[in-house]
Amino acid sequence: MAKRRLDVLTRALAAAMIAALCGCHQESAQAPPGAPATPVRAADVNAERLAAGEPDQWLTPGRDANGTFYSPLKDINTGNVGKLGFAWDYHLGTNRGQESTPLVIDGVMYATGNFGRVYALDAASGKELWTYDPHIDGQWARYACCDAVNRGLAAFEGRLYVGALDGWLHALDARTGRLMWKVDTLIGRGERKPYTITGAPLLAGDLIIVGNGGADFAGARGYISAYDLKSGELRWRFFTVPRNPAEGPQDQPHLEAAVKTWDPRHPWDAGSGGNVWDGMAYDPALKLVYIGTANAAPYNSHLSGRHGGDELYAASIIAIHADGGAMAWYYQTTPGDRWDYDSTQKLILADVELQGRLRQVVMQAAKNGFYYVLDRASGELLSAHNFAFVSWTRGIDAKTGRPAADPSANYDHGPALVFPSEAGAHSWQPMAYDVKRRVTFIPVIETGNVIIEASDRRAGLVEGQFTTPAFPPEVYDPKSMHSLYGALPPITQLEHGMKTDTASRGFLRAWSVAEHRVLWEAQTATSWDGGVLATGGGLVFQGDANGSLNAYSSDTGERLASVALGSSMMAAPMTYRAGDTQYIAIVAGFGGGAVITGSPLDPASAAYRYGNEGRIIVLKIGGPPPPLPALRTDPPLPEPPAQTADGKQTTDGKKAADSKQIAAGEVLYNRFCSRCHVMGRGNLPDLRRMQPGTHALFSSIVLGGAYVPKGMARFDDVLSPPDVEAIHAYLIDQAWQLKSSMPGH
C-alpha cells in the first residue's frame, strides 16, 4: 500500500516540477470550492502507463492497452463480495440507453453519456468536477439505428477524445473540460448521409482513430479516419467497401480486389455498408490497427434477381498499417452476409499458448456465433468454434476459413427462422478476458429471429432494416402482423427440425481459448443483459436488464452476490482503487438494440418498473443497500382528438380520417416511427399518449423539425404532408383503441 501511494506522489511531483520549469501551466477555470485536488495534468496517460497496466487505474475503455476488461485488483473477492454495498451515484438526467465504460485516472472518473456528453467526477465521492455538452445536431439522432448511445472515450497526455453522435470528434482539456479542438469526421454531411458515431475512439501511437455507424441505412459506405492527436489534422482514411464502379477505378488499392466480389448489379446508392461502429484495437509493436466491419447494405444480396457474392470487406476483421493506412491483412467472418452479422464486436489482444506454441493473437466473439482467434501479425485463422447455437452455417472449414451454407437459413422463398438473431449471439456488450486463467467470459444471446423479405409485401421498407425485418420468436405473431406482412407461416412450422430451445435466453459463458469449449455457463435474467468485468479476486461481474449487478465465481460460475440497483444495465462494469478502497462502478440505463424490437419494455425489467434515468452507480465493500428509484407510473391518458372513420363528420368540424388513410398511416408508422416509438412503456414516448399541444404541433415536429434540439429529427426528405396526416390519423385511431380498452370504457 505504501509503495502505491509513493508511485502516485512521485508522478504528481514530477509533473509539477516539469510544469514549473517549462512554464507550461494550462489556461483553465479553477476547480469549484470544495472540489478534491486533481493532478497537475489530469488524465496523465502516456505509452508507458498504457503498457504497464497499473492495477488501480482504468486507463482505456477496456482498462488496458489490450482491451481485456480484466483488472488484477482483488480487495473485492469471493470471500467478501456478499458485503458489496452502495458508495455513491451520479444522475445523468436522461432516459436513453447507456453503453459506456468510464475511465478512472489518478482519482478522477471520466464517463460519457448519450450523444457524446462527458462527465468528470471525483472517483471516491462522485462529486462533479465538470461536464461537457457537445451540442449535437439532433437531426443525426434519426440515423442511430439503435439509440443515441456512446461507448466511451480515450485519454492521452492531458486530453480526452470523444466522438459525438452527429459525427464530430472532440478533444477536451481533461482538467477543465474545455474544448481544445473538434473536427468533422463525416463525409456526405451536406447530403445527410446516415452516419453516426457511437463507439469510443482508439489510441494508436500519435493517432486518434474513429469509425462510424450507418450500415443499417441506405447511403453509408464504411470507413475509419485517423487524426493527429495534438492538432486534429486528418492523417489518413481507410474505406472498408468499394464505391460505385461507374465512378471509375477504386479510390484505394485494396478495393480493386474487393469490387470483384460484389454482384455487378449491386445497388450502389445503398452505400454498401461495412461501417466500423465499435470494435477496434492497436498493437504498438506491430504498428497495426485492427477493426471489425459491419454488414453489407442492403442485407438481402439476392434481391432483384442478384446472385450475391462475398462482398468484401463487410463482416470482416481487418489489420491496417498505422503508418499510412494501407491494409495488412483481412479475414472475412461471414462471406455474403445476409443476416446482419456485423463483426464489430470488441477485439481483444492476447498472448495465448495454442498447440504448444505461444501465439500473439487477436480474438473476437462475433455476432455470427463463432469465437475467432487470429494471428495478429499475419491474420492466419488459428481457431473458429461456435460458442452459441447457429443455424446459418454447418461449420467453418479450418483450412480455408470459409463457412458451409445451411439451406435452412435461406429466406428467398419465404420467412426463415435463423440463429443467431440480428442482435447476434454476442453484440457490442464487452466480453472479458482473464489473462491468468486464459478464459473469456462472454455475455451470450441465445435467440433466433424470423426474417421476412418484405419488398413484395405491404410493409415494404422498414427503415433501419431495409426490406428485411426480423422478429424474435416471442414477437413473431402471424395474426397481428397480417395487415403489414400478409399470410405468414406459424412459428411451429419454422421451428421444425431446430435442435435447440427457440425461446430467447441469455447466458454468461466461460470460454476456454486453448480448448475451444465452454467451461461453465450461468443463465442470466434476459437475452439482453450487460457487458462483463473479470477481476483478480476470482470474480466475474455483469449487470442485467432486471436491475441487479451480479457477481459470479470465475472458476465455477456460481453466483456469489446479486445487488439490486433498480436500474437496467447494458454496459460493462469496471473497477478501480481510490485511496485504500476498491470500487465497482457501472453506467446504468436501458436501450441500445432493445429499442428496435418494436415491443414495449418487459414488465420484469427495472426500466419498466422504476423508469430509465441514467445513473453512474458505484459500490464498495461494507456500504449500505443502494437506494432504489421511485416506482414508475403512467400519467392519465389524455383525451384523444375527435376522429370518426370513413368520412363522417368530426365533432370539431374537421375532415375525418377514413379507413384507407388510417391503413396508410399504419404502414408509414411501421416504416419510419416504430423503431423508436413503441406502443406501451418504452424509453421514448408512446405516441398514443400525446398531449393536445403535441397533436397541434405534429406536422411541425415531423416535417419542420420543431423538436430537432431534443433529438427528434425531421423526416421531410421521405414524408409528404399527406403522409404525416396519415400517420397522425393512425396514432389517433390507436389512442382511441387504447382508451376503449381501459377499465370503465
Side-chain angles (χ1 to χ4, degrees):
M1 196 72 72
K3 183 181 184 298
R4 183 166 60 250
R5 291 198 194 100
L6 182 60
D7 289 343
V8 173
L9 180 60
T10 300
R11 283 199 304 272
L13 288 173
M17 290 175 65
I18 292 170
L21 290 170
C22 299
C24 51
H25 299 285
Q26 298 189 41
E27 296 180 8
S28 59
Q30 295 298 313
T38 57
V40 171
R41 182 169 67 176
D44 190 16
V45 179
N46 54 32
E48 290 74 21
R49 292 190 76 180
L50 287 172
E54 301 168 34
D56 289 4
Q57 316 294 331
W58 195 279
L59 301 178
T60 75
R63 194 194 76 84
D64 51 33
N66 292 334
T68 61
F69 286 85
Y70 170 81
S71 169
L73 291 181
K74 53 187 177 182
D75 293 350
I76 299 173
N77 52 56
T78 57
N80 62 13
V81 69
K83 299 177 182 179
L84 203 59
F86 184 70
W88 56 265
D89 67 358
Y90 178 85
H91 294 251
L92 300 173
T94 173
N95 63 352
R96 305 294 289 265
Q98 303 294 335
E99 298 186 356
S100 72
T101 301
L103 310 181
V104 171
I105 305 166
D106 299 328
V108 179
M109 175 181 287
Y110 306 99
T112 62
N114 305 127
F115 303 105
R117 299 186 182 104
V118 184
Y119 308 87
L121 311 171
D122 178 77
S125 68
K127 184 177 180 60
E128 181 183 297
L129 304 179
W130 54 259
T131 65
Y132 177 78
D133 187 340
H135 297 292
I136 75 154
D137 180 348
Q139 179 66 27
W140 261 253
R142 171 178 162 190
Y143 309 129
C145 83
C146 315
D147 208 353
V149 297
N150 188 281
R151 297 186 194 89
L153 66 164
F156 198 75
E157 294 185 342
R159 291 186 180 183
L160 305 173
Y161 301 88
V162 63
L165 189 75
D166 61 353
W168 288 82
L169 176 64
H170 300 243
L172 310 179
D173 182 318
R175 187 158 68 94
T176 65
R178 181 169 60 91
L179 179 66
M180 306 296 287
W181 53 257
K182 71 174 186 176
V183 62
D184 189 359
T185 73
L186 299 192
I187 58 175
R189 182 179 293 277
E191 304 122 84
R192 293 201 283 191
K193 296 288 187 182
Y195 292 105
T196 55
I197 295 178
T198 57
L202 174 72
L203 290 168
D206 61 350
L207 302 175
I208 188 75
I209 296 176
V210 64
N212 49 62
D216 297 313
F217 299 89
R221 178 190 179 202
Y223 64 91
I224 62 170
S225 305
Y227 297 92
D228 184 274
L229 273 171
K230 294 182 178 179
S231 68
E233 177 186 0
L234 179 66
R235 297 270 287 273
W236 51 259
R237 181 165 280 155
F238 179 95
F239 285 95
T240 63
V241 293
R243 66 179 182 180
N244 188 346
E247 298 177 18
Q250 293 299 312
D251 43 357
Q252 295 182 334
H254 66 281
L255 298 174
E256 290 295 344
V259 73
K260 299 174 184 177
T261 69
W262 290 69
D263 193 302
R265 293 173 293 175
H266 176 75
W268 296 100
D269 58 342
S272 307
N275 295 66
V276 184
W277 54 263
D278 195 21
M280 298 190 290
Y282 175 64
D283 185 324
L286 296 172
K287 293 187 177 180
L288 289 178
V289 173
Y290 305 94
I291 62 172
T293 65
N295 56 273
Y299 302 156
N300 191 353
S301 59
H302 293 178
L303 194 60
S304 304
R306 288 178 286 128
H307 298 291
D310 283 359
E311 296 184 328
L312 292 173
Y313 298 96
S316 298
I317 298 170
I318 304 173
I320 303 164
H321 293 287
D323 296 335
M327 188 172 75
W329 56 257
Y330 78 92
Y331 173 77
Q332 190 170 40
T333 60
T334 314
D337 169 32
R338 305 183 64 210
W339 308 279
D340 191 12
Y341 289 160
D342 307 13
S343 289
T344 52
Q345 292 63 54
K346 301 290 190 294
L347 297 167
I348 292 178
L349 306 183
D351 295 342
V352 178
E353 186 172 325
L354 296 172
Q355 297 179 337
R357 179 182 172 189
L358 188 65
R359 305 294 296 259
Q360 293 183 319
V361 303
V362 56
M363 306 184 295
Q364 183 187 72
K367 216 178 182 187
N368 68 12
F370 285 82
Y371 192 97
Y372 294 95
V373 182
L374 305 172
D375 183 285
R376 64 179 188 257
S378 67
E380 177 190 356
L381 176 65
L382 302 179
S383 67
H385 299 269
N386 61 299
F387 59 88
F389 178 73
V390 300
S391 70
W392 67 275
T393 179
R394 293 175 173 173
I396 294 177
D397 187 296
K399 293 183 179 179
T400 66
R402 294 188 64 87
D406 191 315
S408 69
N410 189 329
Y411 53 86
D412 286 341
H413 306 293
L417 176 59
V418 183
F419 281 77
S421 74
E422 64 177 3
H426 173 223
S427 191
W428 62 266
Q429 289 95 327
M431 62 185 188
Y433 176 66
D434 188 319
V435 297
K436 291 187 176 180
R437 291 172 172 81
R438 300 291 192 261
V439 173
T440 304
F441 303 100
I442 311 171
V444 179
I445 304 168
E446 282 281 9
T447 185
N449 52 205
V450 178
I451 302 178
I452 303 172
E453 175 49 61
S455 59
D456 57 351
R457 298 175 185 262
R458 185 165 170 261
L461 170 74
V462 179
E463 191 177 61
Q465 294 182 308
F466 300 102
T467 59
T468 318
F471 304 90
E474 294 81 4
V475 174
Y476 179 75
D477 178 13
K479 183 177 180 180
S480 65
M481 295 166 62
H482 188 274
S483 63
L484 290 170
Y485 297 99
L488 296 170
I491 190 67
T492 51
Q493 178 180 324
L494 299 176
E495 290 174 332
H496 183 70
M498 284 281 177
K499 298 178 180 180
T500 187
D501 183 347
T502 59
S504 297
R505 298 162 296 154
F507 292 90
L508 176 62
R509 288 188 174 138
W511 179 263
S512 170
V513 176
E515 300 173 21
H516 323 303
R517 67 183 182 91
V518 175
L519 299 177
W520 57 256
E521 69 176 22
Q523 186 165 353
T524 59
T526 74
S527 61
W528 193 253
D529 292 321
V532 180
L533 161 70
T535 75
L539 296 169
V540 183
F541 292 90
Q542 182 188 31
D544 64 37
N546 291 355
S548 293
L549 182 66
N550 304 295
Y552 301 86
S553 165
S554 301
D555 293 324
T556 67
E558 178 186 359
R559 190 169 69 175
L560 302 176
S562 183
V563 184
L565 301 182
S567 294
S568 296
M569 288 161 279
M570 303 184 297
M574 53 85 70
T575 188
Y576 60 94
R577 188 187 276 121
D580 294 334
T581 302
Q582 181 185 352
Y583 297 90
I584 305 290
I586 190 165
V587 183
F590 200 58
V595 305
I596 63 172
T597 63
S599 300
L601 293 168
D602 184 340
S605 70
Y608 183 96
R609 291 180 291 134
Y610 295 104
N612 196 44
E613 183 184 7
R615 292 192 291 159
I616 301 172
I617 306 171
V618 181
L619 306 176
K620 65 179 182 179
I621 295 297
L628 301 180
L631 290 173
R632 179 176 181 177
T633 59
D634 293 323
L637 178 68
E639 184 76 4
Q643 176 170 282
T644 306
D646 296 320
K648 297 179 182 179
Q649 195 72 6
T650 63
T651 56
D652 60 4
K654 293 182 179 179
K655 181 181 178 181
D658 60 29
S659 56
K660 290 183 179 179
Q661 185 185 36
I662 292 171
E666 178 190 24
V667 173
L668 293 167
Y669 176 87
N670 184 68
R671 184 169 297 174
F672 296 111
C673 312
S674 63
R675 181 166 52 90
C676 296
H677 294 280
V678 302
M679 304 281 189
R681 282 191 185 179
N683 287 353
L684 294 176
D686 179 347
L687 297 182
R688 299 174 301 176
R689 294 177 169 272
M690 284 188 287
Q691 296 294 325
T694 308
H695 281 289
L697 289 172
F698 192 80
S699 181
S700 297
I701 295 168
V702 179
L703 293 180
Y707 283 2
V708 164
K710 298 181 179 181
M712 168 61 203
R714 60 194 299 162
F715 285 77
D716 57 326
D717 58 325
V718 291
L719 295 175
S720 66
D723 291 337
V724 175
E725 290 177 8
I727 294 172
H728 197 193
Y730 168 70
L731 290 169
I732 293 171
D733 182 69
Q734 290 293 306
W736 280 110
Q737 290 188 40
L738 175 62
K739 189 173 183 66
S740 66
S741 70
M742 290 182 167
H745 291 82

